[in-house]
Amino acid sequence: MQHYILSIILAITTITCAAQTDTANVKKGWKFGGALPAIAYNTDNGFRYGVLGNVYDYGDGSSYPNYRKSIYAEWSRTTKGSGKNNIIYEDTQFLGSNLRFLADFNYATEKSIDFYGFNGYQARYESSFEDDDDPGYISRAYYRISRKMWRVMLNVQGETGIRNLKCLAGLMFFDIDVAAPDIKKLNKGKSGSDLLPDATPQTNLYLDYVQKGHIRDDEADGGTATIIKGGFIYDSRDVLICPSRGFWNELYVGVAPKFLGSGRTFTTISASIREYFPVVDDRLILTYRIAYHTLVGGRMPFYLLPFYYDSKYVYDGIGGVKTVRGLKRDRIQGDGYAFGNFEARWKFLKTRVFNQDLYLALSAFYDAGLVTRKYSTSAPVFDDEHLHNALGGGFRIALNNNFVVSVDYGQCLDKQDGDSGLYIDIGWLW
């Protein structure tokens, strides 16, 4: 069970060395967006500490509130050995051209992340197995694995000559090591009934799956993959962050050829539709996102199943903070899946503080997802797959429209998906 003893949200705003004198409050040049420390405690992962933040280049200010360049950085650690190091660089006029370039570098070590099996509800989730107050308790690490991952994503967008339609070419590289949780590390500082039992096929689902052949031996420890992707983007948003009108749609193919170092050759198709409707100018907005990803050829290794990617982000987990809020992270895993988010956003306060644009916003959402193509496994089937649902709400603090501190709370509508989730992060989901 997770117990957050402290969550601190801090938006640090500064005025850069060049004083702001323009009366229109248009931002020019490089500006510090903000920083967010999140301090938390988890019984098994320990104390988490770190910081993340953004800086933006607005150029000559002619495109404000849209930025020309952005640098995002995140660094965090836990006392039990987990860590995240992430840098994202985005340039909307790469080398002075009309190309949009994005580079995302990520190295993460996680001692205890979720693994619930494959194909959604076909894999049964028993909350009693990880609840140390329940008579059916097995281990708090029963539905956990450890993972070390290097991940790189490079994308380039270019004009097609058709208004709002862009082409995209990109490359992603994954190097992933998977293992059972490091119980010795997780037990550091514990005693008595708080100690976790050793990880065995009887106390850990991942080891049970490996022992019984539900996970193939040549995939069980992880592997590498290089994915080449190409496709099209239709983008008619009025602004980049929290638009009030327009579409942001994507369609592309991803190919992982073996000659580029992929453990297996496979091909996928990904598509997403995002639309924004203004109800009261840019203050009350209705919006939705529908995303679809499926394997169309070859075989995808199990360690790549949790990832969904588009032109800007790699989402880790279908279920959780960036996909289906409220569900357990990685609850939905299969060769194909779809998920949707439907949200109302209300900017109830828009003002200026120390010459910086600031707004506060509330949101209400319905999120859902399901496996559309089953992953081939010999694991037992407990139920038919059907829609996973969650409801929730959120709060946003936005500085200069682009640096957005977010708090979301989602509630599952089926106990097979968990209970609820509280998420403190940066940005709107789409």
Side-chain angles (χ1 to χ4, degrees):
M1 297 174 63
Q2 292 187 344
H3 301 278
Y4 287 95
I5 60 170
L6 180 62
S7 294
I8 301 176
I9 299 178
L10 176 62
I12 306 172
T13 65
T14 64
I15 299 176
T16 55
C17 295
Q20 297 287 332
T21 58
D22 46 311
T23 58
N25 201 37
V26 170
K27 306 303 177 189
K28 299 179 181 180
W30 285 97
K31 295 289 177 285
F32 177 64
L36 172 68
I39 303 172
Y41 177 78
N42 174 287
T43 300
D44 298 317
N45 286 328
F47 182 76
R48 175 173 292 277
Y49 55 94
V51 65
L52 50 84
N54 256 115
V55 293
Y56 301 95
D57 178 15
Y58 295 103
D60 61 7
S62 60
S63 61
Y64 182 80
N66 293 335
Y67 52 82
R68 297 288 179 84
K69 299 175 185 178
S70 167
I71 299 175
Y72 168 88
E74 178 176 354
W75 178 89
S76 65
R77 294 290 184 273
T78 73
T79 53
K80 295 297 180 67
S82 295
K84 184 176 182 181
N85 312 270
N86 191 197
I87 296 177
I88 302 174
Y89 172 73
E90 190 175 4
D91 190 339
T92 64
Q93 297 178 357
F94 187 53
L95 299 178
S97 70
N98 61 357
L99 296 177
R100 187 184 194 97
F101 174 73
L102 181 141
D104 180 350
F105 302 93
N106 184 290
Y107 176 65
T109 59
E110 299 183 88
K111 297 298 182 183
S112 177
I113 63 172
D114 301 39
F115 175 72
Y116 299 99
F118 308 116
N119 303 325
Y121 289 131
Q122 288 194 359
R124 187 168 184 81
Y125 166 65
E126 293 285 357
S127 60
S128 60
F129 289 176
E130 57 180 354
D131 183 354
D132 49 13
D133 292 325
D134 193 285
Y137 171 70
I138 297 176
S139 171
R140 292 189 306 276
Y142 183 79
Y143 293 108
R144 298 291 184 270
I145 60 174
S146 67
R147 186 180 70 189
K148 295 180 181 179
M149 178 181 67
W150 283 98
R151 191 196 76 218
V152 177
M153 181 170 71
L154 304 173
N155 287 338
V156 177
Q157 296 180 35
E159 302 294 335
T160 64
I162 301 174
R163 184 183 180 187
N164 298 326
L165 184 66
K166 299 176 175 62
C167 57
L168 176 141
L171 180 146
M172 292 187 299
F173 173 75
F174 294 87
D175 185 357
I176 300 174
D177 293 328
V178 179
D182 186 343
I183 299 299
K184 183 177 180 181
K185 193 78 172 180
L186 297 177
N187 274 336
K188 183 179 178 180
K190 291 186 174 68
S191 62
S193 60
D194 288 336
L195 289 169
L196 292 165
D198 291 339
T200 68
Q202 290 70 46
T203 62
N204 182 261
L205 182 66
Y206 161 77
L207 290 179
D208 179 57
Y209 271 36
V210 172
Q211 182 187 66
K212 294 177 180 177
H214 306 328
I215 295 175
R216 296 169 60 121
D217 289 339
D218 57 350
E219 299 177 3
D221 298 330
T224 62
T226 302
I227 302 172
I228 302 170
K229 61 181 181 180
F232 295 94
I233 301 170
Y234 181 83
D235 188 354
S236 62
R237 291 173 291 172
D238 54 348
V239 294
L240 294 178
I241 306 299
C242 195
S244 61
R245 65 185 73 245
F247 286 94
W248 179 17
N249 302 336
E250 302 185 5
L251 174 66
Y252 49 83
V253 175
V255 179
K258 202 162 188 176
F259 69 84
L260 287 182
S262 297
R264 296 192 177 278
T265 298
F266 59 87
T267 302
T268 62
I269 291 179
S270 301
S272 60
I273 299 173
R274 287 158 284 202
E275 189 174 6
Y276 308 85
F277 304 92
V279 179
V280 180
D281 50 63
D282 68 339
R283 293 177 179 268
L284 181 59
I285 303 162
L286 301 181
T287 179
Y288 69 87
R289 173 180 66 175
I290 298 175
Y292 175 70
H293 177 82
T294 190
L295 180 73
V296 294
R299 176 183 172 86
M300 189 182 301
F302 99 94
Y303 50 84
L304 288 180
L305 294 181
F307 298 101
Y308 172 75
Y309 37 86
D310 57 23
S311 63
K312 192 167 183 178
Y313 300 110
V314 178
Y315 304 92
D316 186 358
I318 306 304
V321 58
K322 294 294 187 181
T323 54
V324 185
R325 292 160 289 187
L327 268 65
K328 292 284 191 180
R329 179 181 173 185
D330 295 344
R331 182 65 178 103
I332 302 173
Q333 292 194 37
D335 277 344
Y337 51 78
F339 65 91
N341 315 97
F342 304 86
E343 189 165 284
R345 301 171 178 176
W346 175 37
K347 299 177 183 177
F348 64 90
L349 175 64
K350 296 177 68 175
T351 186
R352 291 171 63 183
V353 178
F354 300 115
N355 205 34
Q356 310 296 305
D357 293 326
L358 177 74
Y359 73 74
L360 306 181
L362 295 173
S363 64
F365 61 80
Y366 165 70
D367 292 355
L370 80 163
V371 173
T372 57
R373 176 170 175 166
K374 305 297 190 296
Y375 178 72
S376 179
T377 177
S378 57
V381 175
F382 288 93
D383 198 357
D384 292 331
E385 172 64 341
H386 53 278
L387 203 62
H388 305 249
N389 302 274
L391 293 169
F395 174 68
R396 298 293 189 276
I397 305 172
L399 177 67
N400 292 328
N401 295 281
N402 294 311
F403 185 76
V404 183
V405 178
S406 66
V407 180
D408 282 326
Y409 177 81
Q411 177 68 53
C412 296
L413 302 185
D414 190 319
K415 292 297 184 182
Q416 274 293 304
D417 291 320
D419 184 14
S420 62
L422 175 64
Y423 313 102
I424 301 171
D425 202 22
I426 280 184
W428 295 94
L429 264 65
W430 68 95

